[in-house]
């Protein structure tokens, strides 16, 4: 049995409209959205800072902003053309600089930042549906379905800046609709501001989000014929001009980094790695990002991921949301239904990408060839960043279905039933994101105390007081900086001093020759076969005047060189060329989570 429902209209025959919400109720709705966005986060891991995006934003945002305008950074590696740093000139950098100046705790600033991103996403859906003359209980339901999508789990704790294009997607679509409809410069100008705010750090996510506004331009011109080609050309020209002008500061930086900097794409995830996780079934749930399913010896990389693969009730609820969108697409008659169904389908196809990598579909094969043939194609390999298209299309269709059913029931005198249905959908969206309510959204594996241990700040201050014509060589190397007292991902030393710094990291910053030399030294140290007499000569080759031994790393996480053997290597006896050590701290920190007991022969 199938049915098609049409809601009554108060604006135009093509608009889906239920009873318009009164002013006080609308204000109450905004307050409820804000409470959902902020309160659970402010109750999550109070006093703990999460290693989100760049730890230097919380260590010393002013120092990061001072360096960001320069494309050459002598403080990282052996000197390198920076990658993405210029993007922090806006909005993350100034936000954290202002909150730091006002004395707000870093953990509070983080929660407010993420809560604002969530609220911005929800308000964007409200603005979009108001632009399309859609009102009623389904509007709030759609906003919350979008805001509480599991997609945000991929990036909330580690790379929240990549959530900005997701949050800005409904705004960009609504502003394009209004720009085409009303003409003039107002909405193209606002759109240009939104584009440069949400796209300054990661262009890939912005490209995927930008597909939807482009689709609407074609749709309004060729399908609904709301505008003629003259309005299309003039509006697109205004948008391109203004968005180009407002974004030139980060576009030029990205171009310089691409031309002269490290080819970062070669040292990050491959298309094969990404494709193995982009299953259609996972993409439908708003997931499918490869990093979501990974882990190390300590635990999963994203703590909430375990529940989405093991808890049957959560698996069921995560599929209930797209199922509701399909029901909405099948029963609602609305002039723009086809567009949002197409948005959902396009987002699904792009997000699936080249899966299965060894035997992709025809479209997947085209994408696989495109990604392998150019740097631009490879930059788009993280196809799961197109999931927001699917999420937005599904959220709007669910909201329309709620409105249509509420309108039909209201005609029969069952007005409360429509509100109850909206409440049920909101409850489903909330249940589908349990980590927000049980205060595990950010996970424990990326947390650290608000205050850096005093022995670290003392050591860094002493090093920064040394000659700046030499650098600090920090050993042992580590893929990511995970200390026993907390995880920062980025090593804290270069974020707290101005003296140049170098250490072996996962990404090989600097020239190939310098990187090879650094890797050769660190590998021998990690494997316990380093000749101590080589330390000072190599340090001189990299212009290191000081060597900082970090003994409090989580050596169990990445199987790093053990603390005691490394200390003995550096001091028993002390290698030629090294002066007496200055010690900071009295212990290694909390015990390791995974014992590292070697077999006695």
């Amino acid at each position: 049995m199938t049915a098609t429902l049409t809601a009554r209209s108060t604006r135009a025959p093509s608009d889906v409209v239920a009873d318009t919400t009164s002013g006080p109720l609308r204000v109450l709705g905004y307050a409820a959205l804000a409470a959902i966005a902020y309160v659970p986060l402010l109750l999550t891991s109070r006093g703990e800072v999460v290693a989100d995006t760049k730890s230097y934003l919380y260590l010393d945002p002013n120092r990061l902003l001072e360096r960001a305008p320069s494309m050459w950074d002598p403080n990282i590696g052996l000197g390198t053309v920076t990658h993405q740093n210029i993007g922090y000139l806006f909005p993350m950098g100034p936000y954290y600089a202002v909150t730091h100046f006002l004395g707000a705790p870093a953990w509070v600033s983080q929660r407010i930042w993420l809560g604002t991103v969530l609220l911005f996403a929800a308000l964007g859906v409200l603005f979009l549906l108001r632009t399309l003359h859609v009102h009623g209980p389904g509007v709030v339901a759609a906003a919350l379905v979008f805001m509480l999508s599991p997609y945000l789990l991929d990036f909330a704790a580690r790379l929240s800046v990549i959530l900005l294009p997701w949050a800005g997607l409904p705004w960009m679509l609504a502003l394009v609709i209004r720009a085409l409809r009303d003409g003039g410069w107002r909405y193209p100008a606002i759109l240009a501001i939104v584009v440069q705010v949400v796209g300054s750090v990661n262009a890939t996510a912005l490209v995927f989000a930008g597909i939807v506004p482009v689709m609407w331009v074609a749709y309004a011109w060729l399908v609904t014929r709301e505008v003629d080609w003259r309005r299309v050309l003039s509006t697109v020209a205004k948008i391109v001009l203004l968005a180009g002008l407002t974004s030139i500061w980060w576009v030029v930086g990205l171009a310089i980094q691409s031309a002269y900097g490290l080819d970062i794409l070669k040292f990050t995830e491959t298309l094969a790695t990404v494709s193995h996780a982009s299953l259609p079934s996972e993409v439908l749930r708003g997931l499918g990002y490869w990093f979501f399913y990974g882990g190390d010896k300590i635990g999963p990389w994203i703590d909430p991921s375990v529940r989405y693969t093991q808890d049957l009730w959560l698996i069921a609820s995560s599929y209930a949301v797209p199922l509701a969108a399909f029901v909405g697409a099948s029963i609602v008659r609305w002039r723009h239904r086809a567009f949002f169904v197409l948005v959902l389908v396009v987002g699904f196809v792009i997000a699936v990408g080249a899966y299965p990598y060894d035997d992709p579909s025809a479209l997947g094969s085209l994408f696989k060839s495109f990604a392998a043939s150019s740097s631009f194609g490879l930059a788009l390999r993280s196809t799961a960043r197109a999931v927001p298209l699917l999420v937005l299309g599904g959220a709007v269709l669910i909201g329309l279905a709620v409105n249509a059913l509420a309108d039909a029931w209201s005609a029969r005198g069952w007005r409360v039933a429509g509100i109850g249905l909206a409440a049920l959908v909101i409850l489903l969206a909330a249940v589908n994101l349990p980590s927000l309510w049980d205060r595990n959204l950010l996970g424990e594996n990326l947390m650290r105390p608000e205050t850096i241990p005093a022995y670290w700040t003392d050591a860094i201050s002493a090093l920064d007081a040394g000659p700046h014509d030499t650098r600090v060589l920090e050993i042992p190397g580590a893929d990511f900086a995970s200390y026993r007292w907390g995880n920062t991902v980025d090593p804290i030393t270069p974020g707290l001093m101005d003296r140049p710094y170098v250490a072996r990291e996962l990404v090989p910053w600097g020239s190939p020759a310098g990187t090879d030399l650094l890797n050769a030294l660190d590998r021998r140290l990690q494997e316990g076969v380093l000749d101590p007499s080589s330390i000072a000569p190599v340090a001189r080759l990299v212009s290191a005047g000081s060597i900082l031994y970090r003994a409090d790393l989580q050596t169990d996480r990445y199987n790093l060189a053990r603390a005691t053997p490394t200390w003995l290597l550096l001091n028993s006896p002390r290698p030629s060329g090294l002066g007496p050590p200055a010690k900071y701290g009295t212990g290694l920190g909390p015990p390791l989570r995974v014992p590292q007991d070697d077999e006695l022969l």
Side-chain angles (χ1 to χ4, degrees):
M1 177 179 177
T2 60
T4 301
L5 301 177
T6 304
R8 292 174 297 170
S9 175
T10 61
R11 291 289 299 269
S14 59
D15 296 328
V16 175
V17 183
D19 295 333
T20 303
T21 306
S22 63
L25 287 178
R26 186 178 297 119
V27 172
L28 184 62
Y30 289 150
L33 286 176
I36 294 173
Y38 290 112
V39 174
L41 288 172
L42 288 170
L43 296 176
T44 298
S45 302
R46 302 182 66 182
E48 296 284 312
V49 175
V50 66
D52 171 34
T53 308
K54 278 288 184 185
S55 288
Y56 309 136
L57 290 166
Y58 327 119
L59 293 171
D60 191 337
N62 293 325
R63 180 177 271 112
L64 176 64
L65 288 177
E66 289 172 0
R67 296 175 181 173
S70 173
M71 292 304 298
W72 175 255
D73 189 352
N75 297 79
I76 301 296
L78 298 177
T80 185
V81 176
T82 59
H83 174 66
Q84 295 181 330
N85 273 14
I86 195 171
Y88 297 111
L89 287 174
F90 195 81
M92 286 194 87
Y95 167 77
Y96 282 104
V98 169
T99 56
H100 180 74
F101 173 78
L102 295 176
W107 77 270
V108 173
S109 300
Q110 283 188 329
R111 308 305 188 267
I112 293 176
W113 162 263
L114 183 56
T116 302
V117 173
L118 299 185
L119 182 61
F120 187 67
L123 294 179
V125 174
L126 298 183
F127 181 66
L128 171 62
L129 293 178
R130 183 180 302 169
T131 298
L132 295 171
H133 310 308
V134 179
H135 305 279
V139 172
V140 177
L144 282 168
V145 167
F146 186 74
M147 183 178 79
L148 300 179
S149 168
Y151 173 77
L152 69 92
L153 295 174
D154 293 337
F155 307 105
R158 190 178 293 265
L159 286 168
S160 67
V161 70
I162 295 183
L163 291 174
L164 291 179
W166 161 73
L169 172 57
W171 290 96
M172 291 189 290
L173 175 57
L175 290 167
V176 165
I177 294 172
R178 292 185 179 227
L180 288 170
R181 181 188 299 165
D182 299 347
W185 289 87
R186 177 185 178 187
Y187 292 114
I190 299 174
L191 176 61
I193 295 173
V194 172
V195 168
Q196 70 94 20
V197 167
V198 304
S200 59
V201 175
N202 190 271
T204 301
L206 178 63
V207 169
F208 287 139
I211 291 174
V212 179
V214 173
M215 288 173 58
W216 182 271
V217 172
Y219 172 78
W221 174 29
L222 301 175
V223 179
T224 62
R225 301 187 180 278
E226 298 175 21
V227 292
D228 59 21
W229 65 270
R230 296 180 182 84
R231 175 62 63 85
V232 168
L233 286 180
S234 64
T235 302
V236 170
K238 293 171 185 174
I239 291 173
V240 171
L241 173 64
L242 295 177
L245 291 175
T246 56
S247 301
I248 194 170
W249 62 276
W250 63 265
V251 172
V252 170
L254 180 62
I256 293 174
Q257 188 276 324
S258 300
Y260 300 103
L262 176 72
D263 189 357
I264 192 69
L265 299 177
K266 293 182 178 180
F267 302 99
T268 53
E269 66 270 20
T270 64
L271 177 61
T273 299
V274 171
S275 300
H276 285 316
S278 58
L279 288 75
S281 56
E282 292 299 279
V283 168
L284 275 178
R285 299 200 292 164
L287 302 173
Y289 180 47
W290 70 275
F291 200 86
F292 184 77
Y293 309 93
D296 51 43
K297 291 190 296 184
I298 302 300
W301 291 334
I302 299 177
D303 282 356
S305 65
V306 177
R307 306 182 68 173
Y308 285 87
T309 58
Q310 297 185 12
D311 290 358
L312 294 179
W313 68 269
L314 183 54
I315 295 173
S317 69
S318 64
Y319 283 115
V321 174
L323 179 61
F326 297 154
V327 171
S330 64
I331 69 172
V332 173
R333 188 172 64 191
W334 182 47
R335 66 179 303 195
H336 300 311
R337 178 185 65 172
F339 175 80
F340 286 96
V341 170
L342 184 61
V343 169
L344 190 154
V345 172
V346 169
F348 177 76
V349 172
I350 295 175
V352 170
Y355 177 86
Y357 184 77
D358 296 328
D359 186 23
S361 65
L363 288 175
S365 296
L366 288 175
F367 176 75
K368 184 177 177 180
S369 300
F370 172 63
S373 63
S374 67
S375 296
F376 178 71
L378 187 58
L380 299 178
R381 69 200 180 284
S382 293
T383 55
R385 294 176 189 175
V387 166
L389 280 68
L390 185 151
V391 175
L392 178 64
V396 171
L397 292 171
I398 289 173
L400 293 173
V402 170
N403 269 2
L405 289 169
D407 202 49
W409 293 340
S410 180
R412 298 186 179 185
W414 304 342
R415 184 171 182 177
V416 177
I419 299 175
L421 178 61
L424 184 62
V425 170
I426 292 171
L427 178 62
L428 174 62
V431 167
N432 198 31
L433 195 66
S435 55
L436 179 63
W437 318 108
D438 62 16
R439 294 177 289 181
N440 191 41
L441 180 69
L442 304 179
E444 296 181 1
N445 63 324
L446 292 176
M447 291 292 181
R448 68 165 174 86
E450 171 83 21
T451 304
I452 298 295
Y455 63 85
W456 262 107
T457 56
D458 292 343
I460 293 173
S461 296
L463 290 169
D464 204 19
H468 283 213
D469 56 351
T470 63
R471 59 173 44 93
V472 174
L473 170 62
E474 192 165 270
I475 59 173
D479 290 352
F480 300 102
S482 297
Y483 306 92
R484 295 194 182 198
W485 44 266
N487 195 350
T488 62
V489 178
D490 300 305
I492 63 174
T493 314
L496 292 173
M497 72 176 185
D498 295 319
R499 189 177 175 186
Y501 161 95
V502 65
R504 198 277 301 173
E505 298 181 57
L506 178 65
V507 177
W509 303 115
S511 67
T515 299
D516 287 344
L517 175 63
L518 195 64
N519 285 345
L521 174 70
D522 189 67
R523 173 174 292 184
R524 286 166 174 76
L525 173 63
Q526 303 283 2
E527 295 177 351
V529 296
L530 178 65
D531 181 356
S533 64
S534 66
I535 297 176
V538 172
R540 285 192 290 269
L541 283 175
V542 299
S543 299
S546 301
I547 296 177
L548 178 61
Y549 168 47
R550 43 185 177 182
D552 59 349
L553 293 176
Q554 293 181 28
T555 55
D556 53 341
R557 183 180 291 273
Y558 302 114
N559 197 28
L560 302 178
R562 316 295 171 80
T564 300
T566 303
W567 175 253
L568 294 176
L569 177 71
L570 296 173
N571 289 278
S572 298
R574 187 177 308 121
S576 175
L578 298 183
K583 299 180 182 179
Y584 299 89
T586 57
L588 299 177
L592 298 173
R593 295 177 61 179
V594 178
Q596 291 183 300
D597 297 326
D598 296 322
E599 181 180 359
L600 297 177
L601 300 180

